[in-house]
Amino acid sequence: MDGLVSKVASLTGLSTASCRRIAHGAHRRYKIFTIPKRNGDRRVVAQPAREVKAVQRAICQLLADKLSVHQSATAYKPGTSIAANAAAHAGTQFLTKLDFSEFFPSINGEMIAQLLKRRVEDLSEAEIEFVINACTWRPQGRKVLCIGAPSSPLLANATMFEIDQEIYETTQALGVVYTRYSDDIALTSMQPNVLVAAEDAVRSIVATRSMLRFNERKRVAVGRGAAMVITGLTLTNQGGVSVGRERKRGVRAGANRYIKGQMNDEAILRLKGEIAFVLNIEPSFRGVLVRTYGLSIWPLLPKMEDEQ
């Protein structure tokens, strides 16, 4: 690829010397903090400085059409969502879920270098090093991807392409549906016995082709006798996707507080966002809210297309 650094400079409005300097020292320009996980643990986030983000975004813009992402990878792509990820499994009867431990930090500079050599023609060693330096941070001196960098999703998904492809081909031959939403793998089937073989195949492929490891505490294997939940959404017995009863119950509780005047502006904004999410997954719930609360609920509802 001719003049990657020059093209990054053009996109960012910086000089090539500044881009090289920013990339070289990028690992020292991260704000590190933690956010809570649902299980009570803390997730480490490394947020790059504004100028580092600008260089990372430019790199992604230049490389995106060369770094293919597999169709089974449903996170961080235009036109995909947790709803689309769950919908791929609608109508199935049995589910096995696997979860990668430390997904982004398991993808290191060497893996990124091999990815770029496979996919991007005429990229020099210096340009590969430029990309790696610009897009990784260095906990304990290791060059790895992190949560918080805008370049991490593309590089992680692209690095996983061959793994996703091999898993997809293997599971498809077994009659199993496979999707990967970032670090969450879902395998579903109409028959329970094939999921054992599918899981064994997934574990073997991942072990031989990457440094990724599974978080065994998050492994789930269920059938229709229990709730089948994928990326926070429930597969219904009718072959659809739902946000689940608890989430809708929370919306109703919020609506009651709003109507009683018990919410401040910030809480109202949060409730409007939650309602918009729920209606995106289950549009028919709009009618339930209107029938229950009448005109009082209208200020909280997202506008319909004919109201735009």
Side-chain angles (χ1 to χ4, degrees):
M1 186 173 183
D2 184 41
L4 175 66
V5 182
S6 296
K7 292 178 180 179
V8 170
S10 178
L11 286 173
T12 59
L14 300 168
S15 67
T16 55
S18 293
C19 289
R20 290 191 178 95
R21 175 178 53 80
I22 289 169
H24 183 72
H27 64 283
R28 294 190 293 269
R29 303 167 104 165
Y30 282 82
K31 178 183 178 182
I32 313 301
F33 56 96
T34 64
I35 56 176
K37 297 182 181 180
R38 283 181 295 179
N39 65 1
D41 293 341
R42 307 290 297 186
R43 187 187 305 278
V44 177
V45 177
Q47 187 173 57
R50 183 173 59 182
E51 63 273 16
V52 177
K53 283 184 178 179
V55 170
Q56 292 174 346
R57 290 192 178 104
I59 288 171
C60 289
Q61 184 175 338
L62 292 166
L63 298 183
D65 64 340
K66 303 177 187 300
L67 300 180
S68 299
V69 175
H70 197 269
Q71 65 191 50
S72 298
T74 56
Y76 318 123
K77 294 192 302 186
T80 64
S81 64
I82 60 171
N85 180 68
H89 301 274
T92 55
Q93 296 294 314
F94 299 93
L95 164 68
T96 295
K97 294 194 297 184
L98 301 170
D99 187 280
F100 288 122
S101 179
E102 302 294 326
F103 178 56
F104 283 162
S106 296
I107 298 173
N108 59 30
E110 182 180 347
M111 295 167 70
I112 297 169
Q114 293 304 315
L115 166 71
L116 296 176
K117 289 174 182 178
R118 289 195 309 271
R119 303 281 189 83
V120 187
E121 294 182 1
D122 303 323
L123 205 60
S124 69
E125 291 292 336
E127 288 171 322
I128 290 173
E129 190 67 15
F130 171 79
V131 173
I132 293 171
N133 286 338
C135 298
T136 60
W137 70 311
R138 303 182 191 178
Q140 291 83 49
R142 297 173 57 246
K143 296 182 181 182
V144 297
L145 298 183
C146 64
I147 298 171
S151 51
S152 290
L154 173 64
L155 292 175
N157 266 345
T159 299
M160 288 291 292
F161 182 88
E162 284 79 11
I163 293 174
D164 286 331
Q165 178 64 21
E166 188 171 352
I167 293 175
Y168 172 78
E169 291 176 351
T170 302
T171 53
Q172 189 179 49
L174 293 169
V176 171
V177 180
Y178 162 71
T179 62
R180 179 181 59 79
Y181 193 90
S182 188
D183 56 354
D184 295 325
I185 285 177
L187 303 166
T188 56
S189 175
M190 298 301 292
Q191 302 295 329
N193 56 312
V194 297
L195 287 184
V196 175
E199 180 180 350
D200 288 344
V202 169
R203 290 179 178 277
S204 176
I205 291 166
V206 169
T208 55
R209 300 197 65 155
S210 75
M211 298 175 63
L212 291 163
R213 297 293 179 266
F214 291 107
N215 183 345
E216 300 300 343
R217 292 181 302 168
K218 292 189 175 182
R219 179 187 177 275
V220 173
V222 296
R224 275 296 170 197
M228 293 176 59
V229 179
I230 297 177
T231 48
L233 300 178
T234 301
L235 305 184
T236 69
N237 291 328
Q238 294 73 37
V241 176
S242 168
V243 297
R245 294 177 182 175
E246 287 300 318
R247 199 154 191 172
K248 285 185 282 190
R249 190 174 293 121
V251 166
R252 289 192 182 97
N256 284 324
R257 291 196 299 274
Y258 167 78
I259 290 169
K260 294 176 181 178
Q262 298 174 346
M263 278 189 166
N264 58 28
D265 290 344
E266 183 179 351
I268 291 171
L269 283 175
R270 286 198 302 269
L271 178 59
K272 290 178 72 173
E274 177 70 359
I275 290 174
F277 173 81
V278 170
L279 296 184
N280 182 56
I281 307 298
E282 296 188 61
S284 63
F285 191 59
R286 185 186 189 98
V288 174
L289 293 175
V290 172
R291 287 192 298 273
T292 303
Y293 302 104
L295 293 177
S296 300
I297 198 70
W298 279 103
L300 297 177
L301 301 180
K303 290 184 178 181
M304 306 285 282
E305 286 188 11
D306 56 4
E307 298 175 331
Q308 299 294 328

Coordinates of all heavy atoms in Angstrom, one line a residue, residues 19-77:
C19 N 2.3 12.3 12.7 CA 1.7 11.0 12.8 C 2.6 9.9 13.3 O 2.2 9.1 14.1 CB 1.1 10.6 11.4 SG -0.3 11.6 10.9
R20 N 3.8 10.0 12.8 CA 4.8 9.0 13.3 C 5.1 9.2 14.7 O 5.3 8.2 15.5 CB 6.1 9.1 12.4 CG 6.0 8.6 11.0 CD 7.3 8.5 10.3 NE 7.2 8.0 9.0 CZ 7.1 8.7 7.9 NH1 7.2 10.0 8.0 NH2 7.0 8.2 6.7
R21 N 5.2 10.4 15.2 CA 5.5 10.7 16.6 C 4.4 10.2 17.5 O 4.6 9.6 18.5 CB 5.8 12.2 16.7 CG 5.9 12.6 18.2 CD 6.2 14.1 18.3 NE 5.2 14.9 17.6 CZ 4.0 15.2 18.1 NH1 3.7 14.8 19.3 NH2 3.2 15.9 17.4
I22 N 3.1 10.5 17.0 CA 2.0 10.1 17.8 C 1.9 8.6 17.9 O 1.6 8.0 19.0 CB 0.7 10.6 17.1 CG1 0.6 12.2 17.3 CG2 -0.6 10.0 17.7 CD1 -0.5 12.8 16.5
A23 N 2.1 7.9 16.8 CA 2.1 6.4 16.8 C 3.2 5.9 17.7 O 2.9 4.9 18.5 CB 2.3 5.9 15.4
H24 N 4.4 6.4 17.6 CA 5.5 5.9 18.4 C 5.2 6.0 19.9 O 5.6 5.1 20.7 CB 6.8 6.6 18.0 CG 8.0 6.1 18.8 ND1 8.6 4.9 18.4 CD2 8.7 6.7 19.8 CE1 9.6 4.7 19.2 NE2 9.7 5.7 20.1
G25 N 4.6 7.1 20.3 CA 4.3 7.3 21.7 C 2.9 7.0 22.2 O 2.5 7.4 23.3
A26 N 2.1 6.4 21.3 CA 0.7 6.2 21.5 C 0.4 5.5 22.8 O -0.5 5.8 23.6 CB 0.0 5.5 20.4
H27 N 1.2 4.4 23.1 CA 1.0 3.6 24.3 C 1.1 4.4 25.6 O 0.6 3.9 26.6 CB 1.9 2.4 24.3 CG 3.4 2.8 24.5 ND1 4.1 3.3 23.4 CD2 4.2 2.8 25.6 CE1 5.3 3.6 23.9 NE2 5.4 3.3 25.1
R28 N 1.7 5.5 25.6 CA 1.8 6.4 26.8 C 0.7 7.4 26.9 O 0.6 8.1 27.9 CB 3.1 7.1 26.8 CG 4.4 6.2 26.9 CD 5.6 7.0 27.2 NE 5.9 7.8 26.0 CZ 6.7 7.5 25.0 NH1 7.3 6.3 25.0 NH2 7.0 8.3 24.0
R29 N -0.3 7.4 25.9 CA -1.3 8.4 25.9 C -2.7 7.8 26.0 O -3.6 8.0 25.2 CB -1.2 9.2 24.6 CG 0.2 9.8 24.4 CD 0.5 10.3 23.1 NE 0.4 11.8 23.0 CZ 0.8 12.5 22.0 NH1 1.4 11.9 21.0 NH2 0.7 13.8 22.0
Y30 N -2.8 7.0 27.0 CA -4.1 6.3 27.3 C -4.6 6.7 28.7 O -3.8 6.7 29.7 CB -4.0 4.8 27.2 CG -4.0 4.2 25.8 CD1 -2.8 4.2 25.1 CD2 -5.2 3.7 25.3 CE1 -2.8 3.7 23.8 CE2 -5.2 3.2 24.0 CZ -4.0 3.2 23.2 OH -4.0 2.7 22.0
K31 N -5.8 7.0 28.8 CA -6.5 7.1 30.1 C -7.0 5.8 30.6 O -7.9 5.2 29.9 CB -7.6 8.2 30.1 CG -8.3 8.4 31.4 CD -9.4 9.4 31.2 CE -10.2 9.6 32.5 NZ -11.3 10.5 32.3
I32 N -6.6 5.3 31.7 CA -7.0 3.9 32.1 C -8.0 4.1 33.3 O -7.8 4.8 34.2 CB -5.8 3.1 32.6 CG1 -4.6 3.2 31.7 CG2 -6.2 1.7 32.9 CD1 -4.9 2.7 30.3
F33 N -9.1 3.4 33.1 CA -10.1 3.4 34.2 C -10.9 2.0 34.1 O -10.7 1.3 33.1 CB -11.1 4.6 34.0 CG -11.8 4.7 32.7 CD1 -13.1 4.2 32.5 CD2 -11.2 5.3 31.7 CE1 -13.7 4.3 31.3 CE2 -11.8 5.5 30.4 CZ -13.1 4.9 30.3
T34 N -11.8 1.8 35.0 CA -12.5 0.6 35.0 C -14.0 0.9 35.0 O -14.4 1.9 35.6 CB -12.2 -0.3 36.2 OG1 -12.6 0.3 37.4 CG2 -10.7 -0.7 36.2
I35 N -14.8 0.0 34.5 CA -16.3 0.1 34.5 C -16.8 -1.2 35.1 O -16.2 -2.3 34.9 CB -16.9 0.4 33.2 CG1 -16.5 -0.7 32.1 CG2 -16.5 1.8 32.7 CD1 -17.1 -0.5 30.8
P36 N -18.0 -1.2 35.8 CA -18.5 -2.4 36.4 C -19.0 -3.4 35.3 O -19.7 -3.0 34.3 CB -19.6 -2.0 37.3 CG -20.0 -0.6 36.7 CD -18.8 0.0 36.1
K37 N -18.8 -4.7 35.5 CA -19.5 -5.7 34.7 C -20.8 -6.1 35.5 O -21.0 -5.8 36.6 CB -18.6 -7.0 34.6 CG -17.3 -6.7 33.9 CD -16.5 -8.0 33.8 CE -15.2 -7.9 33.0 NZ -14.4 -9.1 32.9
R38 N -21.6 -6.9 34.7 CA -22.9 -7.3 35.3 C -22.7 -8.3 36.5 O -23.5 -8.4 37.4 CB -23.8 -8.0 34.3 CG -24.4 -7.0 33.4 CD -25.3 -7.7 32.4 NE -24.6 -8.5 31.4 CZ -25.1 -9.2 30.5 NH1 -26.4 -9.2 30.3 NH2 -24.4 -9.9 29.6
N39 N -21.5 -9.0 36.5 CA -21.3 -10.0 37.5 C -20.6 -9.4 38.8 O -20.2 -10.0 39.7 CB -20.4 -11.1 37.0 CG -19.0 -10.7 36.6 OD1 -18.7 -9.5 36.7 ND2 -18.2 -11.6 36.1
G40 N -20.4 -8.0 38.7 CA -19.7 -7.4 39.9 C -18.3 -7.1 39.7 O -17.7 -6.3 40.5
D41 N -17.6 -7.8 38.7 CA -16.2 -7.5 38.5 C -16.0 -6.2 37.8 O -17.0 -5.5 37.5 CB -15.6 -8.6 37.6 CG -15.6 -10.0 38.3 OD1 -15.6 -10.0 39.5 OD2 -15.5 -11.0 37.6
R42 N -14.8 -5.8 37.6 CA -14.5 -4.5 36.9 C -13.8 -4.8 35.6 O -13.0 -5.7 35.4 CB -13.6 -3.6 37.8 CG -14.0 -3.4 39.2 CD -15.2 -2.5 39.2 NE -15.0 -1.2 38.7 CZ -15.9 -0.2 38.8 NH1 -17.1 -0.4 39.3 NH2 -15.6 1.0 38.3
R43 N -14.2 -4.1 34.5 CA -13.6 -4.2 33.2 C -12.6 -3.0 33.0 O -13.0 -1.8 33.2 CB -14.7 -4.1 32.1 CG -14.2 -4.4 30.7 CD -15.3 -4.2 29.7 NE -16.5 -5.0 30.0 CZ -16.6 -6.3 29.6 NH1 -15.6 -7.0 29.1 NH2 -17.7 -6.9 29.9
V44 N -11.4 -3.3 32.6 CA -10.4 -2.3 32.3 C -10.6 -1.7 30.9 O -10.7 -2.4 29.9 CB -9.0 -2.9 32.4 CG1 -7.9 -1.8 32.1 CG2 -8.7 -3.4 33.8
V45 N -10.7 -0.4 30.9 CA -10.8 0.4 29.7 C -9.6 1.3 29.5 O -9.2 2.0 30.5 CB -12.1 1.2 29.7 CG1 -12.2 2.1 28.4 CG2 -13.3 0.4 29.8
A46 N -9.0 1.3 28.3 CA -7.9 2.2 28.0 C -8.3 3.1 26.9 O -8.4 2.7 25.7 CB -6.7 1.3 27.6
Q47 N -8.6 4.3 27.2 CA -9.1 5.3 26.2 C -7.9 6.2 25.7 O -7.3 6.9 26.5 CB -10.2 6.2 26.9 CG -10.9 7.1 25.9 CD -12.1 7.8 26.5 OE1 -11.9 8.5 27.5 NE2 -13.2 7.6 26.0
P48 N -7.7 6.1 24.4 CA -6.5 6.9 23.9 C -6.9 8.4 23.8 O -8.0 8.8 23.8 CB -6.4 6.3 22.5 CG -7.7 5.7 22.1 CD -8.3 5.2 23.4
A49 N -5.8 9.1 23.8 CA -5.9 10.6 23.7 C -6.5 10.9 22.4 O -6.5 10.2 21.4 CB -4.6 11.3 23.9
R50 N -7.0 12.2 22.2 CA -7.8 12.6 21.0 C -6.9 12.4 19.8 O -7.4 11.9 18.8 CB -8.2 14.0 21.2 CG -9.1 14.5 20.0 CD -9.6 15.9 20.3 NE -8.6 16.8 20.6 CZ -8.8 18.1 20.9 NH1 -10.0 18.6 21.1 NH2 -7.8 18.9 21.2
E51 N -5.7 12.8 19.8 CA -4.8 12.7 18.6 C -4.5 11.3 18.2 O -4.4 11.0 17.1 CB -3.6 13.5 18.8 CG -2.6 13.1 19.9 CD -2.9 13.6 21.2 OE1 -4.1 14.2 21.4 OE2 -2.1 13.6 22.1
V52 N -4.4 10.4 19.2 CA -4.2 9.0 19.0 C -5.5 8.4 18.3 O -5.4 7.6 17.4 CB -3.8 8.2 20.3 CG1 -3.7 6.7 20.0 CG2 -2.6 8.8 20.9
K53 N -6.6 8.8 18.8 CA -7.9 8.3 18.2 C -8.0 8.7 16.8 O -8.4 8.0 15.9 CB -9.1 8.9 19.0 CG -9.4 8.2 20.3 CD -10.7 8.7 20.9 CE -11.0 8.1 22.2 NZ -12.3 8.6 22.8
A54 N -7.6 10.0 16.5 CA -7.7 10.5 15.1 C -6.8 9.6 14.2 O -7.2 9.3 13.1 CB -7.2 11.9 15.1
V55 N -5.6 9.3 14.6 CA -4.7 8.4 13.8 C -5.3 7.0 13.7 O -5.3 6.5 12.6 CB -3.3 8.4 14.4 CG1 -2.4 7.3 13.7 CG2 -2.6 9.8 14.3
Q56 N -5.8 6.5 14.7 CA -6.5 5.2 14.7 C -7.6 5.1 13.7 O -7.8 4.2 12.9 CB -6.9 4.7 16.1 CG -5.7 4.5 17.0 CD -6.2 4.2 18.4 OE1 -7.4 4.4 18.8 NE2 -5.3 3.7 19.3
R57 N -8.5 6.1 13.8 CA -9.7 6.2 12.9 C -9.2 6.3 11.4 O -9.8 5.7 10.5 CB -10.6 7.3 13.3 CG -11.3 7.1 14.6 CD -12.4 8.2 14.8 NE -13.1 8.0 16.0 CZ -13.0 8.7 17.1 NH1 -12.1 9.7 17.1 NH2 -13.7 8.4 18.2
A58 N -8.2 7.1 11.2 CA -7.7 7.2 9.8 C -7.2 5.9 9.3 O -7.4 5.5 8.1 CB -6.6 8.3 9.7
I59 N -6.4 5.2 10.1 CA -5.9 3.9 9.7 C -7.1 2.9 9.4 O -7.0 2.2 8.4 CB -5.0 3.3 10.9 CG1 -3.7 4.1 11.0 CG2 -4.8 1.8 10.7 CD1 -2.9 3.7 12.2
C60 N -8.1 2.9 10.2 CA -9.2 2.0 10.0 C -9.9 2.4 8.7 O -10.3 1.5 7.9 CB -10.2 2.1 11.1 SG -9.6 1.3 12.6
Q61 N -10.1 3.7 8.4 CA -10.7 4.2 7.2 C -9.9 3.7 6.0 O -10.5 3.3 5.0 CB -10.8 5.7 7.2 CG -11.6 6.3 6.0 CD -11.7 7.8 6.1 OE1 -11.7 8.3 7.2 NE2 -11.9 8.4 5.0
L62 N -8.6 3.7 6.0 CA -7.8 3.3 4.9 C -7.7 1.8 4.7 O -7.6 1.3 3.6 CB -6.4 3.8 5.1 CG -6.3 5.4 5.0 CD1 -4.9 5.8 5.5 CD2 -6.5 5.8 3.6
L63 N -7.8 1.0 5.8 CA -7.7 -0.4 5.7 C -9.0 -1.2 5.7 O -8.9 -2.4 5.5 CB -6.8 -0.9 6.9 CG -5.4 -0.4 7.0 CD1 -4.6 -1.0 8.2 CD2 -4.6 -0.6 5.7
A64 N -10.1 -0.6 6.0 CA -11.3 -1.3 6.2 C -11.7 -2.2 5.1 O -12.2 -3.3 5.3 CB -12.4 -0.3 6.6
D65 N -11.5 -1.7 3.8 CA -12.0 -2.5 2.7 C -11.0 -3.6 2.4 O -11.3 -4.5 1.5 CB -12.2 -1.6 1.5 CG -10.9 -1.0 1.0 OD1 -9.9 -0.9 1.8 OD2 -10.8 -0.5 -0.2
K66 N -9.9 -3.7 3.0 CA -8.9 -4.8 2.8 C -9.0 -5.8 3.9 O -8.4 -6.9 3.8 CB -7.5 -4.2 2.7 CG -7.3 -3.1 1.6 CD -6.0 -2.5 1.6 CE -5.9 -1.4 0.6 NZ -6.2 -1.8 -0.8
L67 N -9.6 -5.4 5.1 CA -9.6 -6.3 6.2 C -11.0 -6.9 6.3 O -11.9 -6.4 7.0 CB -9.2 -5.6 7.5 CG -7.8 -5.0 7.5 CD1 -7.5 -4.3 8.8 CD2 -6.8 -6.0 7.2
S68 N -11.2 -8.0 5.7 CA -12.6 -8.6 5.7 C -13.0 -9.1 7.1 O -12.2 -9.6 7.8 CB -12.6 -9.8 4.7 OG -12.3 -9.4 3.4
V69 N -14.3 -9.0 7.3 CA -14.9 -9.5 8.6 C -15.9 -10.5 8.2 O -16.7 -10.3 7.3 CB -15.5 -8.3 9.4 CG1 -16.3 -8.9 10.6 CG2 -14.5 -7.3 9.8
H70 N -15.8 -11.7 8.9 CA -16.7 -12.8 8.5 C -18.2 -12.5 8.8 O -18.5 -11.7 9.7 CB -16.3 -14.0 9.3 CG -16.8 -15.3 8.7 ND1 -18.0 -15.8 9.1 CD2 -16.4 -16.1 7.7 CE1 -18.3 -16.9 8.4 NE2 -17.3 -17.1 7.5
Q71 N -19.1 -13.0 8.0 CA -20.5 -12.8 8.2 C -21.0 -13.3 9.5 O -22.0 -12.8 10.0 CB -21.3 -13.6 7.1 CG -21.1 -15.1 7.1 CD -21.7 -15.8 5.9 OE1 -21.3 -15.4 4.8 NE2 -22.5 -16.8 6.1
S72 N -20.3 -14.2 10.1 CA -20.8 -14.7 11.4 C -20.4 -13.8 12.6 O -20.9 -14.0 13.7 CB -20.2 -16.1 11.7 OG -20.6 -17.0 10.7
A73 N -19.5 -12.8 12.3 CA -19.1 -11.9 13.3 C -20.1 -10.7 13.3 O -20.1 -10.0 12.3 CB -17.7 -11.4 13.1
T74 N -20.9 -10.5 14.3 CA -22.0 -9.6 14.2 C -21.9 -8.4 15.0 O -22.8 -7.6 15.1 CB -23.3 -10.4 14.6 OG1 -23.1 -10.9 16.0 CG2 -23.6 -11.5 13.7
A75 N -20.7 -8.1 15.6 CA -20.5 -6.9 16.4 C -19.6 -5.9 15.6 O -18.8 -6.3 14.8 CB -19.8 -7.2 17.7
Y76 N -19.8 -4.6 15.9 CA -19.0 -3.6 15.3 C -19.1 -3.4 13.8 O -18.1 -2.9 13.2 CB -17.5 -3.8 15.7 CG -17.3 -4.2 17.2 CD1 -16.6 -5.4 17.4 CD2 -17.8 -3.5 18.2 CE1 -16.4 -5.8 18.7 CE2 -17.5 -3.9 19.5 CZ -16.9 -5.0 19.8 OH -16.6 -5.4 21.1
K77 N -20.2 -3.8 13.2 CA -20.3 -3.7 11.8 C -21.6 -2.9 11.5 O -22.6 -3.1 12.1 CB -20.4 -5.0 11.1 CG -19.1 -5.9 11.2 CD -19.2 -7.1 10.2 CE -20.4 -8.0 10.5 NZ -20.4 -9.2 9.6

